[in-house]
Amino acid sequence: PALAALQQMGCPRERLTSLPFFVPLPSVTRDFASPPSPLVFASSGRLWNEMKGHDLALAALAQAREATRREDFEYVIAGVGPDERNLRERAATLELTDHVRFAGFMQPSDLARLLSRAHVLLHPSRWDPYPVAVLEGMAAGLVVLGSDASGSVQDRIHDGENGFVHHAGDDIALAAHIAELLRNRARLGPMSAAARRTAEEWPVSRGVAIVKDALGAIRNTRAA
């Protein structure tokens, strides 16, 4: 999305280089020999619905529960922000209070522990240039359900392989993806492994190489 915006402002494409975020790869041990119960969904980010769309996640969870009649799931929301009260009220209205936990601000070590016990990352942003939460989730082996308005979702998620992609703002499509995993938990193992493999293709060393190449190109241009 950033490159597209720069091109629209008149920057020549050949002068642009994507510099995505990179995250360290934690040790991951996941066992899906038996279907997990409860299925743990997680989100990480500022509680600001206009951007992050946590309200869409709640609406989709309620729809998926209705469609599947499954109650064995949990949704943990890490973060603080101006819409926390609104989200708590929304969860109560949707009768999700027993399924949703607001974890508040988390230190990186605490967030890592949350991701290690979760199975699915929900990231239904209405707009999000390049959310690191998606990369952190994939590095931890989570299946990502993300919107097409998120740059890292566009970059890294292959729909149906290492996650599912829905059109931004479409809680019905997100609900269908959630329902698929609630019903067919056997899909979690292969998709989790695929998410981790994708993360391993983008180590920090690759980011360093991209930056060095970009700086080298600038130096060569100036020298010429």
Side-chain angles (χ1 to χ4, degrees), residues 18-22 202-213:
S18 177
L19 299 175
F21 292 114
F22 295 84
W202 293 86
V204 173
S205 58
R206 183 171 180 176
V208 173
I210 289 174
V211 173
K212 285 184 175 180
D213 287 347

Side-chain angles (χ1 to χ4, degrees), residues 11-189:
C11 298
R13 179 65 185 90
E14 65 274 11
R15 298 288 300 278
L16 299 175
T17 299
S18 177
L19 299 175
F21 292 114
F22 295 84
V23 299
L25 295 171
S27 298
V28 172
T29 302
R30 291 191 172 274
D31 181 10
F32 289 102
S34 58
S37 183
L39 187 60
V40 180
F41 299 89
S43 289
S44 172
R46 191 179 184 205
L47 306 188
W48 181 23
N49 291 330
E50 183 180 344
M51 181 180 187
K52 297 295 186 180
H54 291 98
D55 56 325
L56 297 171
L58 292 176
L61 281 167
Q63 294 172 52
R65 181 183 61 175
E66 179 67 20
T68 63
R69 302 297 180 182
R70 298 293 297 258
E71 298 286 345
D72 54 340
F73 67 89
E74 178 185 2
Y75 180 34
V76 184
I77 304 174
V80 296
D83 285 323
E84 180 172 348
R85 180 176 178 179
N86 172 280
L87 289 168
R88 288 181 180 274
E89 293 174 349
R90 183 67 174 151
T93 299
L94 294 170
E95 299 182 351
L96 289 173
T97 302
D98 292 340
H99 296 278
V100 178
R101 179 165 69 87
F102 291 86
F105 173 80
M106 282 189 163
Q107 294 291 347
S109 58
D110 296 323
L111 179 59
R113 280 191 288 273
L114 167 61
L115 296 180
S116 71
R117 64 175 289 267
H119 307 106
V120 180
L121 183 82
L122 298 184
H123 199 85
S125 289
R126 289 180 166 90
W127 63 276
D128 214 337
Y130 211 91
V132 177
V134 170
L135 307 185
E136 292 172 331
M138 299 183 78
L142 273 66
V143 178
V144 176
L145 307 188
S147 79
D148 61 3
S150 303
S152 47
V153 171
Q154 294 180 22
D155 255 8
R156 311 285 172 89
I157 302 301
H158 303 290
D159 191 52
E161 297 179 19
N162 57 9
F164 288 112
V165 182
H166 63 276
H167 183 63
D170 189 348
D171 58 293
I172 296 175
L174 177 57
H177 295 156
I178 292 172
E180 170 64 15
L181 295 180
L182 285 173
R183 292 191 185 103
N184 301 313
R185 302 190 188 198
R187 297 195 67 176
L188 288 167

